[in-house]
Amino acid sequence: MTLSDSPITCIAHRGGSKAVNLIENTLAAIEYSLELGVTTIEIDVWSIQGKLLAIHDRRLGRILPGDENIMNFSVSELIELASQIGVQVPTLEEVIGVIGDRAELNIEIKGPNCAHTVANVIEAMTVEHQLPYDQFLVSSFDHHQIHTLMNINPDIRRGVLVEGVPLDLAQCCEPLKAYFLGSSLDFVRQGMIDDCHRRGSKFWVFTVNHIDDMRHLCAMGVDGMFTDYPERLMNLLEFHQEPDPIAHALRS
């Protein structure tokens, strides 16, 4: 048993990097999380010239130098720009090559026009690396792209992300047949968790970095947490093998 009645998924957010100051969405960050024993890795992708790159921001400035829109660059230009400061920008294929069957991969679509390319890469990787489709999850705030993905290949599991508390709560999960609903930590509500479960989807929360928030969410009955510090959540769950009486009291 964990703090919850059901196992809680620890998702290494952007590869999980902050505890050892690794750069997000890099192979080094991913390898670190895999060595920890994390079973779900999350990365972000943009389609640049038809190639999917693991990168989060639409503009340079936070990780890579500059302030331009990344869509104004070629793949080679972005990789070269990153290499100049010792940062790696891997392709989705490179990420999958490192993870293999050691963990499931949650691919968050950030930029436009990614759904077809994501589906094509996953389909190719299932053959090349002999991986099952349930090794992958594709999520986005852009529910239209998730709908497109569902129509292209319904075997690829899907997640829908929201920032807020929709009037219809978790209803968006049903037409997209979502495996999970991902909610911002700032907008987690018990009614939304319960509604999500009634509709047959899991409820995951982003981005959870503090132990007290982790404990509180366990008590609320969430199914997974995205975190920059996966070792914190894994340690919390590992060292609480018996049911938490506070958790049961809050859910009763």
Side-chain angles (χ1 to χ4, degrees), residues 1 14 22 28 64 67 76 78 84 103 129 144 168 179 190 216 218 225 230 233 236-237 246:
M1 295 290 289
R14 304 182 195 174
L22 292 172
L64 303 181
D67 62 1
S76 60
L78 283 172
Q84 291 174 7
H129 295 279
H144 290 273
D168 54 7
Y179 176 79
Q190 189 66 58
H216 181 64
C218 286
M225 301 180 214
L233 179 55
L236 176 66
L237 299 177
I246 296 177

Side-chain angles (χ1 to χ4, degrees), residues 129-147:
H129 295 279
Q130 297 184 325
L131 298 170
Y133 278 119
D134 63 9
Q135 202 77 22
F136 302 96
L137 283 159
V138 180
S139 61
S140 186
F141 289 96
D142 185 344
H143 297 184
H144 290 273
Q145 289 203 70
I146 297 301
H147 185 261

Side-chain angles (χ1 to χ4, degrees), residues 17-195:
S17 59
K18 290 196 174 178
V20 289
N21 296 317
L22 292 172
I23 302 298
E24 65 187 42
N25 285 315
T26 60
L27 300 183
I30 292 167
E31 187 62 51
Y32 166 76
S33 291
L34 291 172
E35 290 174 0
L36 286 176
V38 173
T39 57
T40 305
I41 306 287
E42 185 259 1
I43 64 163
D44 310 286
V45 296
W46 285 76
S47 179
I48 307 294
Q49 296 182 316
K51 196 72 173 176
L52 293 164
L53 297 183
I55 192 168
H56 181 271
D57 300 341
R58 65 183 292 271
R59 282 192 176 273
L60 304 176
R62 188 174 61 86
I63 302 295
L64 303 181
D67 62 1
E68 299 93 338
N69 189 317
I70 64 171
M71 299 293 285
N72 296 333
F73 291 79
S74 67
V75 172
S76 60
E77 286 171 337
L78 283 172
I79 291 175
E80 172 60 24
L81 181 63
S83 68
Q84 291 174 7
I85 60 170
V87 175
Q88 178 191 38
V89 178
T91 64
L92 178 56
E93 290 91 339
E94 289 173 327
V95 169
I96 294 172
V98 166
I99 295 176
D101 62 358
R102 296 194 288 172
E104 65 180 4
L105 174 62
N106 178 196
I107 303 160
E108 182 184 341
I109 292 175
K110 300 298 290 188
N113 305 316
C114 289
H116 282 86
T117 311
V118 168
N120 290 340
V121 170
I122 290 176
E123 289 166 358
M125 292 296 99
T126 60
V127 175
E128 181 176 338
H129 295 279
Q130 297 184 325
L131 298 170
Y133 278 119
D134 63 9
Q135 202 77 22
F136 302 96
L137 283 159
V138 180
S139 61
S140 186
F141 289 96
D142 185 344
H143 297 184
H144 290 273
Q145 289 203 70
I146 297 301
H147 185 261
T148 297
L149 181 81
M150 179 179 70
N151 289 332
I152 296 170
N153 189 335
D155 291 330
I156 299 173
R157 295 181 300 165
R158 299 165 296 282
V160 290
L161 305 177
V162 295
E163 182 87 34
V165 184
L167 188 62
D168 54 7
L169 298 177
Q171 195 279 332
C172 63
C173 291
E174 291 193 359
L176 296 171
K177 299 178 182 177
Y179 176 79
F180 77 87
L181 174 69
S183 169
S184 166
L185 174 62
D186 293 333
F187 296 101
V188 174
R189 303 291 185 270
Q190 189 66 58
M192 196 167 174
I193 297 171
D194 296 342
D195 187 57

